[in-house]
């Protein structure tokens, strides 16, 4: 039984560290630049999205901003957003990227 628990813990370590590493802001940036720029201002260097959308900086600055909630929100396409399905990892990466705009 001990031995089983030991083997199990060995098996879980890479799984768990993998899910922690899943939120990768650099990867999120790449996704944002590909999918979100047509509407949102996603970086400091981008000049203009559409007026109807908040910039990523504005999103990160909202009170109560929470990267985990955002990742969850992104799993569902939001209104008027083209219908693309993000994987959980992509949503987490995007959310980690948007979180980098939060002013501390
Ligand atoms: C076709 C235009 C369009 C695209 C592309 C788009 N969005 Fe949006 N997004 C909107 C609009 C419009 C709103 C405002 C919706 C509302 O107010 O109900 C919005 C709102 C949001 C919000 C919520 C802001 C808040 O109120 O807290 C987030 C987060 C967001 N978008 C993230 C993204 C991300 C990440 C991508 C790229 C994967 C993306 N959007 C691509 C149009 C778009």
């Amino acid at each position: 039984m001990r031995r089983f628990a030991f083997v199990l813990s060995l098996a879980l370590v890479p799984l768990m560290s993998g899910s922690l590493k899943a939120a990768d802001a650099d990867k999120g940036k790449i996704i944002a630049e590909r999918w979100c720029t047509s509407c949102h201002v996603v970086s400091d260097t981008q000049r203009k999205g559409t007026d109807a959308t908040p910039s990523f900086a504005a999103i990160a600055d909202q009170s109560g901003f929470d990267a985990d909630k955002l990742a969850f929100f992104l799993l569902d396409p939001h209104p008027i957003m083209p219908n693309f399905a993000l994987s959980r990892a992509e949503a987490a990466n995007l959310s980690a990227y948007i979180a980098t705009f939060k002013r501390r």
Side-chain angles (χ1 to χ4, degrees):
M1 190 56 208
R2 269 243 178 103
R3 192 189 160 83
F4 174 73
F6 178 68
V7 169
L8 189 68
S9 69
L10 280 185
L12 284 176
V13 167
L15 273 181
M16 278 156 45
S17 54
S19 71
L20 284 179
K21 270 199 217 118
D24 180 334
D26 290 337
K27 285 188 190 148
K29 180 170 197 233
I30 294 168
I31 302 170
E33 281 168 351
R34 183 169 312 154
W35 292 103
C36 318
T37 46
S38 53
C39 300
H40 293 273
V41 172
V42 309
S43 72
D44 295 338
T45 49
Q46 187 187 337
R47 306 288 350 143
K48 195 133 180 50
T50 66
D51 291 337
T53 61
S55 69
F56 281 8
I59 293 170
D61 259 346
Q62 279 166 347
S63 62
F65 173 80
D66 180 308
D68 290 336
K69 274 193 208 142
L70 180 62
F72 196 70
F73 166 86
L74 290 175
L75 287 178
D76 267 335
H78 49 283
I80 335 177
M81 202 165 101
N83 227 344
F84 53 77
L86 295 166
S87 71
R88 276 171 175 276
E90 286 169 332
N93 292 343
L94 267 169
S95 158
Y97 172 62
I98 293 173
T100 64
F101 289 98
K102 199 168 160 57
R103 276 182 260 156
R104 279 153 242 264

